[in-house]
Amino acid sequence: MFYNMLMIVFYLILMTKANGYQKLQFNPDYNLHELPPSDGPLLIEASINLSNILEVLEKQQLISLETSLRLYWKDSRVRPVERFLEGNDSLGAYITLNPKLAENIWMPDIFIDKARSVRKPVFFIPPAYLRLYNDSLVKYSARMNYDVACPMDFKRFPVDEQTCQINFESFGHSSSQFVLRWKNISESNINKNINLAQFKFSVKLSDAYSTENYDEAYPGLSIQIQLEREVGYHVLQTYIPSAMFVVLAWFSLFIEPESIPGRVAMGMTTLLTLTAMFSSVRQNVPKVSYVSLLDIWMVGCIFFVFASIGEFILVTAMIRNGQKKESRKVEDMFKIAIPVIFLIFNFAYWPVLLC
């Protein structure tokens, strides 16, 4: 029984391959290990459909994309049988083949440089197709999800701009064997309905390039995604609350120094809350060694709150030393100095942030 089932499965596999091959005509000397014949380097054109930007992972410095990459090249050694032509588009009449047949014809060895993981959104059959046109043009398209490294600079966080470059390169064929080129820009599609929580984005298809980090130059194509962070989230979640805590600490100066519990509770509460807020904000970005614009703001706010607490300690010590009159002058000076210096800090900070 098991033997019979095995033979049936084997027969179905052979029939599937035969049905695919009978639609094609191969040259007698066809070899899938050899590049298609051409005058000079073989031209391989590409277009892309950016369906979605799934996620921007700032802590890992990764961007997650969903794209369909389409490759076009001429292979005069193989052509479709005319009676099996089943469709027609702007490139001509074609037949659509099972993508598994791509294992048995020459395919360009394109990979995604600096990809951390690559996934195929498969239900049953992989989301790919292979088309062969009546003029021996081969078109291969595949849908993929992948995470790609995107080095980021957070010096201007939270108004930073990041550029993620995704490179498609040949792994084994040099630039003398084939060249890569984007087709007309109209052949590529960018989903205009992509919404990112904190970013505006733009996409640019860069010109073909050749790698210079190896013993030979290898052809490649790149797509650049420019990410511009929206500052509105941090204005509502960080800037306004932290400024209010500074004002609250300033209000504590109007409480009489003799009311020690009230002054201490107000000052320490604002200081601890600001420190917790600062820690929460820092969790959204990698642990970098340099200072960002948001770090400067949060440290500045903590400084003003700490100055309010320091003023209370100084005034209390002066009162205990019998310098009550002088302590009043110190209090009046701090009531004016803290808001004035905080306003100067704002006038200096916001033009730098928004420029």
Side-chain angles (χ1 to χ4, degrees):
M1 182 67 179
F2 175 76
Y3 176 78
N4 291 336
M5 290 293 295
L6 189 63
M7 290 300 296
I8 292 172
V9 170
F10 183 69
Y11 174 77
L12 290 174
I13 293 173
L14 287 178
M15 287 301 296
T16 301
K17 288 191 173 182
N19 288 336
Y21 284 126
Q22 72 180 2
K23 297 180 179 182
L24 306 178
Q25 293 179 340
F26 290 91
N27 283 5
D29 59 347
Y30 184 86
N31 187 343
L32 66 86
H33 302 293
E34 296 179 357
L35 272 75
S38 64
D39 297 328
L42 176 67
L43 174 63
I44 299 177
E45 294 185 301
S47 63
I48 195 167
N49 176 24
L50 178 59
S51 303
N52 201 3
I53 299 176
L54 302 173
E55 198 170 5
V56 179
L57 303 168
E58 297 163 84
K59 292 188 71 173
Q60 293 84 3
Q61 300 195 45
L62 296 171
I63 185 169
S64 183
L65 304 175
E66 182 177 17
T67 64
S68 296
L69 182 66
R70 300 180 284 264
L71 300 175
Y72 310 78
W73 69 94
K74 284 283 187 72
D75 191 343
S76 59
R77 303 170 301 169
V78 60
R79 52 201 168 277
V81 176
E82 188 172 351
R83 71 174 184 275
F84 291 112
L85 293 174
E86 59 189 15
N88 200 302
D89 60 17
S90 60
L91 299 175
Y94 63 84
I95 58 171
T96 301
L97 304 168
N98 191 301
K100 291 182 179 180
L101 283 178
E103 299 175 1
N104 300 291
I105 65 172
W106 183 87
M107 295 285 294
D109 55 345
I110 304 300
F111 75 103
I112 305 169
D113 189 34
K114 298 178 182 177
R116 181 173 177 177
S117 62
V118 179
R119 304 168 296 276
K120 290 185 178 180
V122 177
F123 178 68
F124 181 73
I125 298 176
Y129 67 79
L130 178 66
R131 285 182 182 175
L132 181 61
Y133 291 81
N134 56 357
D135 61 349
S136 295
L137 175 69
V138 183
K139 176 182 178 181
Y140 182 78
S141 177
R143 171 71 61 88
M144 293 177 293
N145 299 341
Y146 46 89
D147 304 329
V148 185
C150 177
M152 299 183 183
D153 186 347
F154 295 98
K155 289 187 178 70
R156 288 190 55 80
F157 179 82
V159 290
D160 51 317
E161 294 183 9
Q162 310 294 347
T163 301
C164 300
Q165 182 162 312
I166 296 90
N167 297 328
F168 303 96
E169 297 179 1
S170 169
F171 190 79
H173 292 89
S174 67
S175 298
S176 61
Q177 294 176 294
F178 71 69
V179 293
L180 291 169
R181 187 178 72 189
W182 290 113
K183 285 181 74 70
N184 192 297
I185 191 66
S186 61
E187 300 286 340
S188 295
N189 311 103
I190 309 299
N191 183 2
K192 301 299 182 182
N193 296 320
I194 297 174
N195 290 314
L196 299 176
Q198 293 192 43
F199 294 96
K200 293 188 295 184
F201 77 96
S202 60
V203 179
K204 177 184 177 184
L205 301 181
S206 300
D207 294 333
Y209 68 93
S210 294
T211 60
E212 299 177 352
N213 302 325
Y214 309 102
D215 53 345
E216 287 187 274
Y218 295 93
L221 291 171
S222 68
I223 174 173
Q224 290 185 344
I225 300 178
Q226 188 81 20
L227 300 172
E228 181 181 350
R229 193 184 303 275
E230 302 265 21
V231 73
Y233 170 83
H234 289 281
V235 168
L236 294 175
Q237 298 294 324
T238 306
Y239 284 104
I240 292 177
S242 56
M244 291 176 67
F245 282 122
V246 172
V247 174
L248 187 62
W250 176 63
F251 283 162
S252 70
L253 300 182
F254 294 90
I255 300 175
E256 290 297 324
E258 290 78 9
S259 180
I260 295 177
R263 289 282 290 263
V264 170
M266 207 165 179
M268 291 305 299
T269 300
T270 53
L271 182 61
L272 292 174
T273 305
L274 270 178
T275 304
M277 184 184 294
F278 189 22
S279 177
S280 175
V281 169
R282 290 292 295 172
Q283 289 180 1
N284 296 327
V285 295
K287 295 178 180 178
V288 294
S289 58
Y290 49 81
V291 177
S292 71
L293 287 177
L294 190 58
D295 293 338
I296 294 172
W297 172 265
M298 293 303 297
V299 170
C301 290
I302 290 172
F303 169 78
F304 286 110
V305 173
F306 184 78
S308 300
I309 297 173
E311 182 271 349
F312 169 67
I313 296 171
L314 177 61
V315 168
T316 303
M318 292 177 70
I319 291 173
R320 287 183 178 180
N321 290 331
Q323 298 175 309
K324 190 168 184 178
K325 187 176 181 180
E326 289 81 359
S327 69
R328 289 291 183 184
K329 292 180 180 179
V330 171
E331 272 205 294
D332 293 339
M333 181 186 70
F334 269 84
K335 288 177 183 177
I336 297 172
I338 286 180
V340 169
I341 297 174
F342 186 60
L343 286 173
I344 293 172
F345 173 66
N346 274 268
F347 283 130
Y349 180 85
W350 285 99
V352 174
L353 185 79
L354 300 176
C355 69

